Amino acid sequence: MASMEPVQVCVKAAVGAPDHLGDCPFSQRVLLTLEEKHIPYDMKLADLSEKPEWFLEISSEGKVPVLKCDDGKWAPDSDVITQILEEKFPNPSLVTPPECAAVGSKIFSSFVKFLKSKDPSDGSEQALVEELRALDEHLKDHGPFINGDNISAVDLSLAPKLYHLKVALGHFKGWSVPEDLSHVHAYMKLLFDRDSFKKTMAAEEFVIAGWKPKVTG
């Protein structure tokens, strides 16, 4: 069997440290997919604060992640990229059944709203806790992953977002996921302890640096 040509993928470089992997949760989602499917890949880091010419040539909107397809074109958007990878490399399958696909889908937007909120009484904290509680209920009945025993695409999408939530809310608000959401805590530990996650995560200081202008601005 011929050895596989590495897949070319371009992701965000760290703020202020362009030779380090940056804090984009959508980039990490793609890297996690590549790791979990054992697909060899070459990773290019794009400094989004000073977008290099080569990067704008492959990503006209200047967004990450982008993946080089068989036809030589570069595909943007983590939803599209993970779909391409699933079709081209079906084993191991990361397909999430439709009834589980939307689990946790509002957590990230709720987290961002609460993180940026300056008004403690605006309900943004409560809204986030409700989303996390719904995830906790789902995991209690269906865990340890969202689709039972096997990790799937929905987990790989949520893992980086939960990591950002943990690091950014801890740093900027001294906030953490309520203790009584024990299934969410176990789920986060399960995800963050995976080799694929450790290999593709941005260092905490880069996550903080990435959110800082959005919080203090």
Side-chain angles (χ1 to χ4, degrees):
M1 191 173 141
S3 68
M4 221 155 70
E5 278 286 302
V7 171
Q8 306 278 324
V9 62
C10 181
V11 296
K12 182 183 177 183
V15 175
D19 52 345
H20 288 271
L21 179 59
D23 64 307
C24 167
F26 306 99
S27 292
Q28 190 185 6
R29 175 190 180 188
V30 169
L31 297 177
L32 280 168
T33 305
L34 291 164
E35 287 287 341
E36 290 287 343
K37 285 185 169 291
H38 311 294
I39 303 166
Y41 61 95
D42 283 335
M43 180 173 72
K44 296 180 184 331
L45 296 174
D47 182 353
L48 299 189
S49 55
E50 294 177 35
K51 293 172 184 164
E53 194 54 46
W54 64 262
F55 173 59
L56 291 170
E57 281 172 18
I58 63 173
S59 177
S60 55
E61 292 186 13
K63 289 184 176 167
V64 286
V66 283
L67 176 92
K68 192 173 191 178
C69 300
D70 291 344
D71 61 6
K73 294 194 175 88
W74 289 78
D77 191 303
S78 63
D79 283 338
V80 173
I81 293 170
T82 49
Q83 191 61 45
I84 290 170
L85 292 173
E86 188 60 53
E87 284 165 16
K88 190 175 174 192
F89 305 99
N91 295 316
S93 170
L94 292 173
V95 173
T96 305
E99 64 273 16
C100 295
V103 174
S105 61
K106 295 197 181 96
I107 287 174
F108 192 66
S109 55
S110 304
F111 143 64
V112 175
K113 198 167 178 189
F114 174 43
L115 180 65
K116 291 178 172 179
S117 162
K118 306 270 193 281
D119 174 7
S121 63
D122 66 2
S124 59
E125 177 180 1
Q126 197 47 44
L128 174 61
V129 171
E130 280 168 25
E131 291 300 331
L132 289 167
R133 192 169 301 288
L135 174 62
D136 197 80
E137 291 291 322
H138 178 90
L139 291 167
K140 185 169 107 186
D141 297 336
H142 304 281
F145 295 108
I146 284 177
N147 184 34
D149 290 333
N150 296 319
I151 200 161
S152 70
V154 67
D155 303 298
L156 303 186
S157 176
L158 260 182
K161 296 169 180 174
L162 289 168
Y163 174 60
H164 277 243
L165 177 154
K166 178 186 168 200
V167 173
L169 289 177
H171 178 81
F172 293 106
K173 291 196 180 273
W175 190 92
S176 55
V177 175
E179 281 308 312
D180 65 323
L181 302 182
S182 56
H183 300 279
V184 172
H185 278 279
Y187 178 62
M188 287 165 71
K189 183 170 176 6
L190 191 64
L191 293 171
F192 302 165
D193 281 349
R194 283 180 89 82
D195 288 342
S196 61
F197 194 89
K198 291 177 186 164
K199 227 178 132 173
T200 58
M201 65 188 263
E204 290 198 6
E205 73 242 42
F206 299 138
V207 174
I208 291 163
W211 284 105
K212 195 171 186 180
K214 299 180 180 81
V215 178
T216 53

